[in-house]
Amino acid sequence: MLVMGIDPGSRESGVVFWDAHKSTVVKAEQMENNWCLRCIKNFQAVAAVVAIEQIRGYGIVAGNDTIDTCQWVGRFQEAYENHSGKVVLIPRKDIKLHLCNTTTTNDKYIRQALIDRFGDVGTKKQPGPLYGISRHLWAALAVAVTCSDQINQAAEDEKIITETGI
């Protein structure tokens, strides 16, 4: 299963194409939002899921960048769903809880949790499994990995229910 993980931004978004079966990054790129929208529209032929980090207020005052980002999340979602694709919106707190077992962590620890799980970034001469991931792409990878893990867990739960007849 291929998952397109998106860390949305007001003008640019981090995008990671994650092969859940092989646990590898197929492609990772920081891209302008209009280009990202075009990629989403063309993505359905290759992938099962688009996973987008969902903006939540949590009582915090939101500025123009946050509002613009929310609009892009909606545009990304609509673009993929209009082509009968599956979109999963994942709040940041769910990602933190899934990868770090706490909601009070930060990007540094999410990055470290991904490195601990999949291996180091490496160098240009000796690239590791996460080579090419930097800045906002870590958040996009976290979205994709969380989504694929949730889908796998749901499939396992369904299998158990089916086998036990519960």
Side-chain angles (χ1 to χ4, degrees):
M1 168 179 60
L2 194 60
V3 177
M4 181 181 192
I6 302 174
D7 174 35
S10 59
R11 290 176 271 306
E12 290 185 336
S13 295
V15 178
V16 169
F17 295 91
W18 175 252
D19 185 331
H21 296 300
K22 295 178 183 176
S23 292
T24 58
V25 174
V26 176
K27 183 175 178 154
E29 187 176 335
Q30 186 78 20
M31 58 179 70
E32 194 270 330
N33 283 341
N34 282 320
W35 179 249
C36 183
L37 194 59
R38 279 184 242 131
C39 286
I40 290 169
K41 290 176 181 178
N42 295 325
F43 186 59
Q44 83 174 55
V46 210
V49 180
V50 169
I52 307 170
E53 184 178 310
Q54 185 178 33
I55 307 294
R56 291 288 193 201
Y58 304 115
I60 298 171
V61 176
N64 291 338
D65 279 349
T66 302
I67 302 303
D68 292 346
T69 301
C70 290
Q71 290 175 325
W72 277 107
V73 168
R75 292 186 71 190
F76 295 158
Q77 181 180 8
E78 183 180 35
Y80 199 60
E81 287 178 343
N82 278 349
H83 292 84
S84 302
K86 180 178 180 178
V87 175
V88 178
L89 299 174
I90 305 176
R92 185 81 172 149
K93 281 190 177 184
D94 290 0
I95 296 165
K96 290 177 178 183
L97 187 60
H98 177 73
L99 295 174
C100 300
N101 296 317
T102 180
T103 60
T104 58
T105 192
N106 60 31
D107 290 345
K108 173 184 171 184
Y109 295 105
I110 291 171
R111 178 184 184 274
Q112 190 59 53
L114 291 166
I115 289 171
D116 291 346
R117 182 169 168 185
F118 300 111
D120 206 355
V121 175
T123 64
K124 188 173 185 176
K125 286 186 178 183
Q126 291 186 322
L130 301 178
Y131 184 76
I133 304 296
S134 63
R135 302 177 10 189
H136 292 287
L137 298 177
W138 286 107
L141 177 60
V143 171
V145 168
T146 300
C147 177
S148 66
D149 287 351
Q150 288 176 347
I151 289 170
N152 289 338
Q153 184 61 53
E156 279 294 315
D157 292 348
E158 183 64 31
K159 181 179 175 186
I160 291 168
I161 290 170
T162 303
E163 289 174 356
T164 60
I166 298 175

